Amino acid sequence: MCNLARCKCPQFSSDCPLQLASWELGLPKGPCIALGPAFAWGARSVMALPGWEVSGSFSDPSFSLLSLPGAQDVRVRVAAEVRGHLGDTVELPCHLLPPAPEVRVSQVTWLRLDTPEDNQNVAIFHPQYGPSFPRAKPGKERLSFVKPGQSTGSGPGTEVEVRDATLALRGLTVEDEGNYTCEFATFPQGTSRGVTWLRVIAEPQNHAETQEVTLSLEPVPVARCVSAGGRPPARVSWLSPLDGETRESQVSGPVPGTVTVTSRFTLVPLGRADGVKITCRVEHESFKEPVLLPVTLSVRYPPEVSISGYDDNWYIGRSEATLNCDVRSKPEPTGYDWSTTSGVFPASAVAQGPKLIVHSVDKLFNTTFICTVTNAVGTGHAEQVVLVRGSHCRVRVPTAVLPLTSSPRRVPTLQNQESASRSLR
């Protein structure tokens, strides 16, 4: 679409109306034409006839103000958008492309049309009197012309030839953001303008931290990520192997015009979440790539207990049998207690923290042993049934099968046959 802000007609004291039409010519953007004697909008340019002024803003930085052949031979080239970091120096480029020899620059003016009319002039450069900065803010302390031009002679009244009106703005603040118009007044062609949108951005400071929580059946925040002082606000997200929800809030940043974003990762804190790593991802247009901030979750939970060491081969008289109380907890256990469901604790069993050492098995071990573990959050326990056998359960080893060996066969003699016959009688 055409985005022509206004036109000034020498025949009228006020802005004149302008009707625009567009049609497709197989170009990326359909060109427009002004139905009237003053203007023509081409595929990439706006053109004016002599004595007419054009002002407007163009979303595509490749658009520029041009002249019709044989008419206005000057054009102003500006950047459609300039980004500057808060507190830094930024330059707003503005160039008058080489005009015809008879073209004379009478004045260059930078304006902010989004301010009251009596305070729109930001910076002025006169070929004879030099630079001037009418506004108190930003003012001459923060503004300067980068290349004020070349002198055309010497002595009083010497003028400077101005072709580059690039404006430098130091100590960028949020209030500096806006549309800046660079205006070249030339003789006899008239005035040409270009508009630059100055954006002020601020790089945020980021950090992420774990929020230690206690086991619960209700969702609570387990990690927090803060992106402070960004302009525009940073985009914060979480990368996690666990199912959770993100809760975000925004408040004013430490510098006026900036925003601090706080994102909290929320889930139901079960024991298995402890020690899991998740990552906060922060994106901002001032970053070359996203910032990744890993955190390790911390969940406090009571002891989870199990018993190991029983081999189902405890028999009367067995010595040096052992039961182990295996625990997973946060924080670490503060106490272990061994007991039995029968209430009778065998005298030959000795508890040593997580271990139960049995010096000699007897009938009293035919019971259920309980290990109870305590930490700062709570307690947990596990049970182990022990069955005492009357005797050692031996494992039968298969008898080895020996190979058959051959030996000489004896042939019975007659004497041996008679001896055998007598023995039978």
Side-chain angles (χ1 to χ4, degrees), residues 118-166:
D118 58 350
N119 196 31
Q120 291 183 345
N121 291 344
V122 176
I124 301 172
F125 192 90
H126 191 277
Q128 184 175 357
Y129 301 109
S132 174
F133 306 98
R135 293 179 54 165
K137 292 183 179 181
K140 62 182 180 179
E141 293 79 11
R142 298 174 52 213
L143 291 172
S144 63
F145 285 93
V146 176
K147 295 180 180 180
Q150 297 179 348
S151 177
T152 58
S154 60
T158 299
E159 293 189 358
V160 174
E161 188 178 76
V162 182
R163 294 293 180 268
D164 185 347
T166 298

Side-chain angles (χ1 to χ4, degrees), residues 252-305:
S252 298
V255 177
T258 63
V259 178
T260 294
V261 180
T262 300
S263 178
R264 290 178 171 84
F265 188 75
T266 303
L267 51 69
V268 176
L270 302 179
R272 65 174 178 270
D274 181 64
V276 174
K277 290 185 178 180
I278 63 175
T279 301
C280 174
R281 176 187 173 100
V282 183
E283 299 175 274
H284 194 265
E285 62 181 275
S286 63
F287 300 156
K288 293 182 179 179
E289 56 186 19
V291 174
L292 302 178
L293 303 170
V295 295
T296 302
L297 300 184
S298 179
V299 179
R300 293 158 48 95
Y301 57 95
E304 298 175 355
V305 186

Side-chain angles (χ1 to χ4, degrees), residues 9-79:
C9 309
Q11 294 91 339
F12 303 97
S13 58
S14 60
D15 289 357
C16 60
L18 191 64
Q19 295 178 332
L20 299 176
S22 65
W23 66 93
E24 295 292 335
L25 291 180
L27 298 172
K29 293 183 178 179
C32 302
I33 186 168
L35 302 182
F39 300 94
W41 176 278
R44 314 300 294 174
S45 62
V46 172
M47 294 168 281
L49 295 175
W52 295 70
E53 295 182 4
V54 181
S55 65
S57 60
F58 314 101
S59 58
D60 190 328
S62 62
F63 283 119
S64 59
L65 301 179
L66 301 175
S67 63
L68 286 173
Q72 188 178 12
D73 295 323
V74 296
R75 54 179 174 169
V76 174
R77 176 172 291 171
V78 297

